[in-house]
Amino acid sequence: MRSQFILLLLLAVSITTTAQRKLSESPSQKLTTEDYDSSTLTTLKWRSIGPWRGGRCLAVTGVLNDPYTYYMGATGGGIWKTTDGGNSWLPISDSAFHSASVGSLAISASDPNIIFAGMGEYAIRNTAIMGDGIYKSIDAGKSWKHVLALDASAVGRILIHPSNPNLVYAAVMGKMFGENKERGVYRSSDGGATWKQILFKNDSTGAIDMRFDPNNPSIIYASLWQVYRNSWSLNDGGQGSGLYKSTDGGDTWQLLSNNPGLPKGILGKMTIAIAESNSNHVYAMVENKNGGLFSSTDAGKTWTRVSTQNDLTQRPWYFSGVWVDPKNENHVYVMNVQFWQSIDGGKTFTAINQEHGDNHDMWINP
């Protein structure tokens, strides 16, 4: 990159105009239109000089019953939209957002014009960009409103009730580089106009993941993660970390991470997936010295560790996403440096070829 900057600097110096030279010779002289030939400007054309890649993408989603419309959120580039299956993309948030890093996206299943975007990069590298809360669009991304202001925060997941677009949940990580109380699970019952913090542990523990039971949205699983980092260190995990479940839409929560089968000791980042074909079958990627991929067939009451494959668990604070095929409870996907799938409930995995390493988010059209 440095060589590119030097080249640009040299080019900038080399194209000094006659008017600029006159100005340098006579600083008091005022420029007029007679000092240069305006026809020379008509030959100039804009061209992209890079960068050719936009960095990490932590948020992807699509529109039900529309195989061509998708959205992606970049960690430093806002929200992009395609309506031709990915052949071309347009930025749709630049003029409305006050921060550039997108951590989560959610589209209403009952009204695809309604989109919520959670800002802030929850994959907490030492260069992570924080966000400023949650934005909402009611016209498929043409315009946006800032509906929840958060101070230098990150939002790990947003859920919209499948039949009530006014009922919205947000897993808020909060600040990565300091303590704050704007953490935990939030709920809005009025389409984002007001928000209530419904699950909170302490000022150093945030919510990183959250999932509806696909067959009963009153049942919600959520994971809390106690973590702190700065530019030279990472303090990952703590007593605040835990896996939770609500059966009443978030009014009350029960702790699952002490249930039989899950590892003891300090817990770090945990992610969740629930099988639509069998809601009792729940998967969790758990960061712990005895961590790995865990499976429950009784809706979280008991657990079994089904995989300790290192390729699935490396850099767990950065990756660790898990998803389930909506039609097959044993078809599991795990995101990490590589993209992995299992067809036997997580016992064995094979890699899926893709264009680039580092995989963070996934959307499956049900």
Side-chain angles (χ1 to χ4, degrees):
M1 292 298 293
R2 184 180 180 186
S3 62
Q4 293 178 5
F5 293 147
I6 293 173
L7 177 59
L8 289 173
L9 180 60
L10 292 174
L11 287 173
V13 172
S14 67
I15 59 174
T16 306
T17 65
T18 302
Q20 289 173 315
R21 287 196 294 271
K22 287 183 178 181
L23 183 61
S24 64
E25 295 168 359
S26 304
S28 61
Q29 180 179 348
K30 294 183 178 180
L31 293 177
T32 69
T33 56
E34 298 176 355
D35 292 324
Y36 64 93
D37 184 359
S38 60
S39 64
T40 60
L41 300 180
T42 61
T43 62
L44 297 180
K45 294 181 180 180
W46 288 102
R47 65 185 179 91
S48 174
I49 59 173
W52 303 113
R53 291 188 179 184
R56 298 178 297 282
C57 170
L58 301 183
V60 295
T61 190
V63 177
L64 295 176
N65 303 315
D66 182 349
Y68 299 105
T69 301
Y70 303 91
Y71 298 82
M72 59 159 279
T75 59
I79 299 176
W80 295 72
K81 179 180 181 179
T82 178
T83 56
D84 57 12
N87 288 305
S88 61
W89 295 81
L90 289 174
I92 60 171
S93 63
D94 289 358
S95 62
F97 285 19
H98 301 294
S99 58
S101 182
V102 182
S104 51
L105 288 171
I107 298 177
S108 170
S110 57
D111 183 354
N113 290 308
I114 297 176
I115 310 169
F116 282 84
M119 308 305 291
E121 183 179 351
Y122 64 82
I124 52 172
R125 299 172 64 99
N126 57 351
T127 56
I129 302 174
M130 295 294 95
D132 62 346
I134 296 175
Y135 289 80
K136 179 186 180 182
S137 174
I138 59 173
D139 52 16
K142 294 178 182 178
S143 62
W144 296 88
K145 183 179 180 180
H146 196 189
V147 295
L148 177 62
L150 298 171
D151 180 24
S153 192
V155 180
R157 184 77 62 185
I158 295 177
L159 301 179
I160 305 174
H161 191 283
S163 60
N164 179 7
N166 288 318
L167 186 54
V168 188
Y169 298 82
V172 175
M173 274 301 300
K175 290 182 179 178
M176 301 299 183
F177 307 103
E179 297 177 347
N180 74 317
K181 294 183 178 180
E182 294 179 328
R183 299 180 183 271
V185 175
Y186 285 69
R187 179 178 63 194
S188 174
S189 301
D190 51 15
T194 60
W195 296 82
K196 181 181 179 181
Q197 191 181 45
I198 58 174
L199 178 60
F200 173 78
K201 188 69 176 180
N202 56 49
D203 60 7
S204 60
T205 301
I208 184 63
D209 198 16
M210 183 173 50
R211 301 285 183 172
F212 283 136
D213 179 328
N215 299 299
N216 184 356
S218 293
I219 299 175
I220 308 168
Y221 294 81
S223 61
L224 301 185
W225 182 23
Q226 186 167 356
V227 65
Y228 166 79
R229 84 164 304 153
N230 52 33
S231 59
W232 63 87
S233 68
L234 171 66
N235 189 348
D236 184 1
Q239 296 296 330
S241 300
L243 184 62
Y244 290 82
K245 178 182 179 180
S246 174
T247 58
D248 53 15
D251 290 337
T252 60
W253 297 86
Q254 61 183 101
L255 181 65
L256 299 183
S257 43
N258 289 336
N259 287 2
L262 288 175
K264 306 301 180 182
I266 299 298
L267 297 173
K269 182 179 179 181
M270 291 172 284
T271 58
I272 316 148
I274 304 108
E276 184 173 346
S277 57
N278 177 8
S279 294
N280 288 321
H281 201 166
V282 183
Y283 292 89
M285 288 292 297
V286 179
E287 181 186 5
N288 178 271
K289 66 179 181 179
N290 296 310
L293 178 63
F294 290 77
S295 172
S296 172
T297 56
D298 53 14
K301 295 178 182 178
T302 61
W303 298 80
T304 301
R305 185 165 64 170
V306 292
S307 177
T308 59
Q309 184 175 327
N310 183 64
D311 291 329
L312 309 179
T313 60
Q314 58 182 318
R315 303 181 81 195
W317 54 269
Y318 192 47
F319 298 111
S320 298
V322 58
W323 285 262
V324 186
D325 186 322
K327 297 181 179 180
N328 184 347
E329 63 184 286
N330 293 310
H331 194 176
V332 187
Y333 300 91
V334 171
M335 295 289 190
N336 205 284
V337 176
Q338 291 176 278
F339 180 24
W340 298 93
Q341 71 169 335
S342 170
I343 58 174
D344 56 11
K347 296 176 183 177
T348 60
F349 280 85
T350 57
I352 299 175
N353 292 328
Q354 17 88 72
E355 292 297 323
H356 186 272
D358 287 13
N359 300 275
H360 290 285
D361 198 20
M362 180 178 186
W363 183 75
I364 302 174
N365 190 332

